[in-house]
Amino acid sequence: MNAMGYDAMEIGNYEFNYGQGVLAERASQAEFPLLAANIMVTATGERPPFCQPYIIKEVMGKRIAIFGLITPDTPVVTHPKNVIGLTFLDPIETAAMLVPKLRPKAEFIIALTHIGYEMDRQLAEEVGGIHVIVGGHSHTKIDVPERVGNEGGNAIIVQAWEHGKVLGRLDLEMRGKAVVRFSGGLINVTADVPRRP
């Protein structure tokens, strides 16, 4: 993942399968941040040391906020001993509190999620101000990016299926803070995919 040049990664339930110590070790080896805005240390209310809620990056002159959300089912889809001392907050409620704080800091907001396709749709419908939702957890194959939302804004939802079978691509054209055109799809991962320079 370091060699692939990740900007950020959302923590998923599988990251807890070997316990928090191993996850912390992997996080220290990563040359990119691990995100999860809805995990708290139960005793202190603070973030665990292996993740942060969001990052702000500047890309092509635009400030981009990227925040993460993990499934609240994590304590039951990994072994409960692996998440002792952690609280997993409701992702929709977490985003509803976080996104208004990110808007003044960034022109573009991306949610990296591991909450599943149905909850991604709920996120788009209930929390305005998110431009793109890059989802996971449900292993949904979204062949063409979808636009979902309400009067608070329309988020583009993408998810690149499962197990590295495909590479997802999303191209955006923006005017100010608005996405005026988008396209994308899934690219089969084969030997024909060019190496990253």
Side-chain angles (χ1 to χ4, degrees), residues 12 121-122 137-138 164 172 175 196:
R121 290 185 62 88
Q122 182 184 350
H137 187 51
S138 57
L172 304 169
R175 290 201 187 111
R196 186 174 184 265

Side-chain angles (χ1 to χ4, degrees), residues 14-41:
Y14 284 115
E15 273 65 62
F16 287 98
N17 281 3
Y18 298 98
Q20 294 176 52
V22 171
L23 175 54
E25 188 179 343
R26 295 294 88 78
S28 72
Q29 294 168 334
E31 296 169 4
F32 49 87
L34 275 57
L35 305 179
N38 61 323
I39 303 177
M40 295 287 186
V41 176

Side-chain angles (χ1 to χ4, degrees), residues 9-146:
M9 171 188 154
E10 163 55 30
I11 293 175
N13 51 283
Y14 284 115
E15 273 65 62
F16 287 98
N17 281 3
Y18 298 98
Q20 294 176 52
V22 171
L23 175 54
E25 188 179 343
R26 295 294 88 78
S28 72
Q29 294 168 334
E31 296 169 4
F32 49 87
L34 275 57
L35 305 179
N38 61 323
I39 303 177
M40 295 287 186
V41 176
T42 307
T44 64
E46 296 177 356
R47 306 278 174 213
F50 49 76
C51 67
Q52 60 192 74
Y54 67 89
I55 60 168
I56 306 279
K57 289 187 67 83
E58 186 161 322
V59 179
M60 297 177 67
K62 288 199 179 292
R63 288 167 300 147
I64 299 174
I66 306 169
F67 73 96
L69 297 170
I70 188 172
T71 175
D73 295 336
T74 299
V76 295
V77 293
T78 190
H79 196 287
K81 72 178 173 63
N82 295 336
V83 292
I84 289 173
L86 299 178
T87 298
F88 293 79
L89 305 173
D90 181 278
I92 308 298
E93 292 175 6
T94 299
M97 289 187 292
L98 181 59
V99 170
K101 295 175 184 175
L102 295 176
R103 281 189 197 132
K105 299 178 181 183
E107 290 110 336
F108 194 79
I109 299 176
I110 298 172
L112 282 186
T113 72
H114 197 85
I115 58 178
Y117 175 70
E118 292 304 322
M119 197 170 277
D120 282 341
R121 290 185 62 88
Q122 182 184 350
L123 177 64
E125 289 163 0
E126 295 185 18
V127 181
I130 301 170
H131 293 87
V132 172
I133 299 170
V134 180
H137 187 51
S138 57
H139 301 255
T140 305
K141 187 178 184 184
I142 301 178
D143 291 300
V144 178
E146 301 176 0

